[in-house]
Amino acid sequence: MHGIPRKAPTQEELDDSSLKAAKLRDLQSQLLHFHHNKIYTEEAIQISAKLLESNPEHYTAWNYRKLAVQHLLNRHHENQLDSQSPQSILDDELILVENALKTNFKAYGAWHHRKWVLSKGHSSSDRELRLLGKFQKLDSRNFHAWNYRRFITELKKIPDEDELQYTTDMIYDNFSNYSAWHNRSMLLSKLLEKSAKGYEKRENVLSEEFEFVRNALFTDPDDQSGWFYHSWLLGQTLKREPLLISSSPPHGSNLSLSIDKPDRERTFPLILYFSEAVEGVSSSTVNVEYFYDGGDGLIWYPLSANKLGFSQAWLTYIEYPLDTLESFDVKVTIAQFPGIISSNGMPCSRSCYIYFTASVCSNNQEKSEVQTTHKISWNEENFKPHSTHPEDANLLASLCKLDIAKENNPTTPMLCMETISNEIACSRELLSSSNCKIGKLTLARLLVAHNTLITYGCMDSGTEAHYEEILALYHDLMKMDPAHIGYYEDEYSLVLMKQLTSNTESLLKLCGKYQELSSPSISSYTSVRLKVLSLSRVSCLEHLLWVQMLDLSHNKLRSIEGLEALQQLSCLKLSNNRLSSFTALEPLKMLNSLQVLDVSYNEIGAHSIDTRRYMCSSPLNSATGFGWQLKRFTDEDADLKRFWDAYLLFRDLNLVQLDIVGNAVVDERLKAFLIKLMSALKWFDGESCH
């Protein structure tokens, strides 16, 4: 049992264990002999039964039993076996499984074997339900029994409504029954999906379920089973159709393109940013129209995708003409045809579109060269913050413009909003008498959900966003539950980023223009400073797709996943964070415009065992298929083998300025290696490379 310390066995117990092990080894040796030689005699079958009754976890023995039973059934079918009927053969197997389960009620192999026997169609499912009733009286939370119950009810075609009532009875008997709550969620999902009678109105059903689980939460706030079901209900309440919430270039903007680029680089990035992770973004579901090309052959790439390929941000590159200086219009229609689906299965069915204009012009080549040869100092006096002046506010609004045209604007059902508001009030009431950490976490999630519904439904009529309360809750949780501080820090960062970027007024305080006072010939950058905020992750970047210079220094960043969406980014400062390897900087490889990078004073190379460094295959393994450009390195260059992860990162970056001082991995060999690798590099750790 969990939490009970083990006692040292006595000598008598050790002798008994040794004797039992010897008998098991003998039985196992005989069974393997029978199995390899396909011997299915009565004696062999009895020996396998003795082994399984003593050790129900012996998977090979269960597989042998299946082969033996099938052999007997085949012989009976061929009229070669008269002593046993198929029914008696299968009944013997069910008795064996019962005996095995008495030894170990949680033996996977025994439960799977029982399913296999019933699939033969000669056994009574009514008898199985009665047997399950006995088992579940002994252990009402055993998930094997509940899983088997789902199998039997489907086999017997028992209505989901009846089984839902059964979970109600089991929960009333013991509200700490995790398995009953889980089974309830599965049954309710099916009933809602098929809109069964009495379950047509989703919001009403969820509201009633919130009230049902609340009884358990108020009875024992420290019991987690009801909270897990409450969390599932919250997820169901927030199931909404995914929406396009921003783009780069933004809707209604004027984009300036350079004709001085090499032919192979005459493309510009197009970013689509959705309200949640989606899949299915392709030329079949997104139509790009402009005079140069119909956009049918565009390839869309997910940025920071999960293992299943779902992503909030999607990227493609649009080629522009080489022989004209005229401007041209671009229209992007999203969800023109079905196919875009969120990770929770909701389709994007509301078609929307964005317009922008692109102008091709010739830049001053000399000025461009000056821009890349002067050092960026990041000095405070070079930043000119935006003011609340209407001119600056209008500029920012145009950069992150979100008035994307939609054929049908979504709305948040009022009952849904009322349900969440009611749960917030109940959670506050509960926490007034119980300092429950999972209650605090649930309240934080409810408040985030409330903000999400406000955003989704565009309900701006005086509805308050609870950012400060959410941040305070996560701050308390970091103190109460230090074992999970990493999770709380990430959630805190997500909420803080949302608060800072959710409206023009708060975002203006972070924005400005950067201009090197010592080098007025260098063009200014539109910049955002998010430093000294204790951020452990970056998120909510839909309003920052236009940023050219970003300062994320003096935070707690362990990952920069998500920055790939900032395709306009030229200068990035990540100094004084917790980045532990060059592999953590992989997202930078997607930023074609990046020229200035500062990762000084991080933890790169500081950890003796850095698992992140080995999440990708070493390029020294020829199976990886990397196209190495080794001619610039000698075959005996040990540095190439030593710094392979740095090579994989920096070979794809076109940096002119790099700062890595203050990391444990940095030494003269690495500096020389990187200078040799990056021919465009002009400044390294504050010093000229030439």
Side-chain angles (χ1 to χ4, degrees), residues 344-356:
N344 61 20
M346 297 294 290
C348 180
S349 60
R350 288 182 171 85
S351 180
C352 60
Y353 56 89
I354 58 174
Y355 281 112
F356 60 88

